[in-house]
Amino acid sequence: MPDDLSPPLLDRLSALLGPRGILTEAADLEPHLADWRLLYRGRTPCVLRPASTAELAEAVRLCAAAGMPLVPQGGNTSMVGGATPDEGGRQIVVSLGRMNRIRDLDPLDMTMTAEAGLVLKAAQDAAAGAGCLFPLSLGAEGTATIGGVLSTNAGGNTTVRYGNARELMLGLEVVLPDGQVWNGLRRLRKDNTGYALRHLFVGAEGTLGFITAAVLRLFARPKESEVALCAVRDEDAALALFRRFRDRDETAVRAFEYMSGTGVGFYARLIEGGSVPLATPADHYVLVDLASTRPDAGLRPLLEAVLEEALEAGDVLDAAIAESEAQRAAIWRIREEHPEAQKREGASVKNDVSVPVSRVPELIRRASEACRRLIPGVRPVPFGHLGDGNIHMNLQQPEGMDPAAFLARSHDIMDTVNEVVRDLGGSFSAEHGIGRLKMDMMEGWRGGPELAVMQRIKAAIDPQGIMNPGKVLP
C-alpha cells in the first residue's frame, strides 16, 4: 500500500464506511483497476464504497484534507478509460454501487429521483412498473449506472427521439471536491434562477464532483410499435429512407440505426444463434424502430407505405418487418451485438464521432477510403445512430495481421478518421466522452478560449485538482 494513504486516514475512512464500505485486499480491488475495453489498467490503495451521500461527503472531506486524488466509478463501462485510476497507485477509486436507491417516483409529475449507483436497466424497469418510460437505452444498460451515464452525457439508441442524458435530467445532487453537498434535486421544467449549474456536471466525467442522485424525466409508454430491418442500396439510400420516415411522421421515429454489411456478417458468423431475416446479404442495412403513445397511430400502415415507396425508388432492396416482440428483439440483437462480434473477430479501433446528419453518408465513405489507404486490407465496420449523426466508425484489423501491430496504429487510425470528421464539421467524441483516450485531442479541437474557460471552471470548483485527475482536460 502506498505511503500516501497514511494509516490515520485509512483508519478514519474504515471507521466511517465500515467493512463493506472500504476494500483494500488485492482480490477485491481487481475488478476496479481495468477499463471495459482493457485499454488501461491502474493501481489504487483502496476502493471506497459509501452507502449514502452523507458518507461520501465525509469521505471526500477527509481525502481532500489529505490531498488524495479520487476517481469516481459507476458500472465501469467507460469506452475511453474515464473511470480507471492511473498507474501511480495513489488515486483512490470511489465506487457508488451501494448508492442505488430510487428515492421518489411520481407518475403524475413524470419524474424519478434515483441515486447514482442505480443500474440503468433497473431504472427502466422501475419506470415501467409505474406505467412510465425512462427512454435512455444503450448496449451496457445492464451494468452502466445513472451516475455514469450522466457523467458522460450518454446517448444511445433513442437519442433521435428523446435526446441525450442531459435532456433527460431535471436536477442533481452533487458532492463537491471539498465535501460540501449541493442539493439541486429540483423537479421543475422551468427554473430561470441564474447559471444552470446542473449542466456543468453532466458530461464532466467526474472531474468537477460526484453526482450522487438525479431527478430524471419520464415519458408515457408507447402503446404501439413497429420494427423493421432493411437492406438498402448504399449510404445515401439509408439517409433517404430516414428522410422519408421523418417527413411522414417525425414523432413516430424512436430509433434509426445504420449497420454495414461487414458488421452484420460478423454477427451472423460469430454470435450464437445469430441470424439475419433477409434472403440475400447486403452491403448496407438500416434498423427502423417506430413507436407512438397513441393506440390508433397506424404505425404498421405508415411503415409499409414508406418501405413500398423506397422499394419502388430503389433505395430499399429488401425488408423484414417484425411480427412479434420476439422478432423485434431478434432484429435489435443484430445491432446490439456488434461490439461483441467485433471483439470475437479480433482487434478493432473504435471511433465515436458525429457529423451533421446530412453528412453521414460522406463520413462513412470518406473515412473508410482514407483508412484503407492508411492500412491496406483494413475492414471498416461503421454502425450507429444515423438519425442523430453519431456513427461508430470502427476499423477491424486486416485478416492475418498481428492484433498488437494493428492496435499500435490506433492513433494513426483515429487521426485519419478525425481529419474527415473535422472537414465535415463534426466532433471527435459524440457520446463516449474524453476520458484518458482522447484527452490529447482537446487542445487541437477545443483549444483557445473554449478550452481556457473549461480549465478555469475546473480550477474554480476543484482547486486542488483531486477529482478524476488526468481525464478530459489537458
Side-chain angles (χ1 to χ4, degrees):
M1 184 177 298
D3 294 337
D4 299 282
L5 187 62
S6 63
L9 176 59
L10 179 61
D11 290 344
R12 296 182 72 178
L13 290 171
S14 298
L16 170 68
L17 300 174
R20 293 186 60 208
I22 184 166
L23 307 177
T24 56
E25 298 297 323
D28 294 329
L29 300 181
E30 187 63 30
H32 301 274
L33 300 181
D35 71 309
W36 184 82
R37 292 173 62 188
L38 302 180
L39 296 177
Y40 301 99
R41 178 179 176 78
R43 296 171 56 232
T44 185
C46 65
V47 173
L48 307 185
R49 302 177 64 244
S52 68
T53 299
E55 284 188 1
L56 175 59
E58 180 61 15
V60 170
R61 189 187 67 78
L62 292 172
C63 291
M68 293 298 293
L70 303 168
V71 178
Q73 196 172 90
N76 202 19
T77 56
S78 172
M79 302 288 281
V80 292
T84 308
D86 68 11
E87 296 77 16
R90 187 169 182 267
Q91 297 179 355
I92 294 176
V93 172
V94 182
S95 172
L96 301 186
R98 295 177 69 201
M99 296 177 58
N100 57 10
R101 296 183 304 120
I102 295 174
R103 297 183 185 178
D104 181 73
L105 200 161
D106 189 334
L108 184 61
D109 202 40
M110 297 296 274
T111 59
M112 174 195 299
T113 304
E115 292 185 339
L118 184 72
V119 171
L120 176 56
K121 182 64 167 61
Q124 296 169 348
D125 291 345
C132 303
L133 171 73
F134 183 59
L136 188 64
S137 176
L138 40 86
E141 60 192 29
T143 49
T145 63
I146 294 300
V149 298
L150 287 170
S151 291
T152 56
N153 189 27
N157 301 324
T158 61
T159 299
V160 65
R161 173 80 163 267
Y162 298 103
N164 284 5
R166 185 186 303 278
E167 283 73 49
L168 301 175
M169 177 274 303
L170 293 174
L172 293 179
E173 178 185 80
V174 178
V175 172
L176 299 171
D178 61 0
Q180 291 190 81
V181 179
W182 170 56
N183 186 346
L185 290 174
R186 305 181 187 109
R187 299 189 297 172
L188 303 173
R189 264 64 175 184
K190 289 185 174 182
D191 181 11
N192 222 1
T193 51
Y195 302 140
L197 295 182
R198 66 188 187 277
H199 289 305
L200 280 178
F201 298 96
V202 175
E205 300 183 45
T207 60
L208 299 178
F210 290 90
I211 294 174
T212 52
V215 179
L216 306 171
R217 296 178 62 200
L218 303 180
F219 295 80
R221 289 184 61 78
K223 294 182 175 60
E224 186 178 336
S225 63
E226 296 288 344
V227 174
L229 179 69
C230 309
V232 294
R233 185 188 65 247
D234 54 24
E235 300 93 341
D236 290 307
L239 180 59
L241 184 61
F242 174 64
R243 287 171 172 167
R244 289 179 189 276
F245 281 107
R246 185 188 61 189
D247 292 345
R248 185 67 66 94
D249 185 354
E250 184 175 29
T251 65
V253 181
R254 178 165 57 182
F256 197 92
E257 300 285 303
Y258 170 85
M259 296 172 284
S260 71
T262 301
V264 172
F266 288 168
Y267 165 80
R269 178 163 54 86
L270 299 172
I271 301 299
E272 296 83 356
S275 63
V276 181
L278 297 175
T280 305
D283 292 330
H284 308 274
Y285 295 87
V286 162
L287 186 158
V288 182
D289 188 319
L290 307 180
S292 176
T293 58
R294 293 190 294 114
D296 57 348
L299 294 183
R300 186 57 172 260
L302 184 155
L303 177 62
E304 291 175 344
V306 171
L307 291 181
E308 183 177 353
E309 291 174 5
L311 281 163
E312 291 178 357
D315 290 337
V316 170
L317 308 178
D318 195 5
I321 300 175
E323 299 292 348
S324 66
E325 189 58 41
Q327 289 184 6
R328 292 188 188 98
I331 289 176
W332 264 110
R333 187 176 181 228
I334 300 171
R335 164 63 181 83
E336 295 293 1
E337 292 282 9
H338 261 55
E340 181 61 27
Q342 281 194 263
K343 188 175 182 179
R344 296 183 185 186
E345 178 65 15
S348 65
V349 174
K350 304 181 187 300
N351 294 274
D352 165 49
V353 298
S354 63
V355 295
V357 174
S358 62
R359 312 303 290 274
V360 167
E362 189 177 356
L363 164 69
I364 295 172
R365 282 194 297 267
R366 287 179 55 185
S368 298
E369 292 165 3
C371 289
R372 290 190 185 104
R373 289 194 300 269
L374 178 71
I375 303 178
V378 73
R379 293 171 288 173
V381 192
F383 68 94
H385 321 300
L386 187 152
D388 60 45
N390 173 200
I391 296 296
H392 301 293
M393 194 65 221
N394 294 359
L395 288 304
Q396 199 78 27
Q397 69 178 69
E399 294 185 75
M401 185 176 182
D402 176 61
F406 178 69
L407 292 176
R409 303 292 304 276
S410 293
H411 282 280
D412 293 339
I413 293 170
M414 287 190 286
D415 289 344
T416 298
V417 171
N418 286 339
E419 184 176 347
V420 177
V421 172
R422 188 193 292 271
D423 189 56
L424 296 176
S427 171
F428 67 99
S429 180
E431 63 179 359
H432 292 164
I434 305 300
R436 294 175 65 180
L437 180 66
K438 298 185 178 184
M439 189 172 66
D440 63 341
M441 302 178 191
M442 287 291 282
E443 183 67 46
W445 284 75
R446 299 291 181 254
E450 185 174 6
L451 181 57
V453 168
M454 294 185 202
Q455 290 170 329
R456 288 201 293 270
I457 290 171
K458 167 73 170 173
I461 296 176
D462 180 23
Q464 287 186 274
I466 65 170
M467 286 302 307
N468 214 6
K471 316 291 170 52
V472 183
L473 299 180

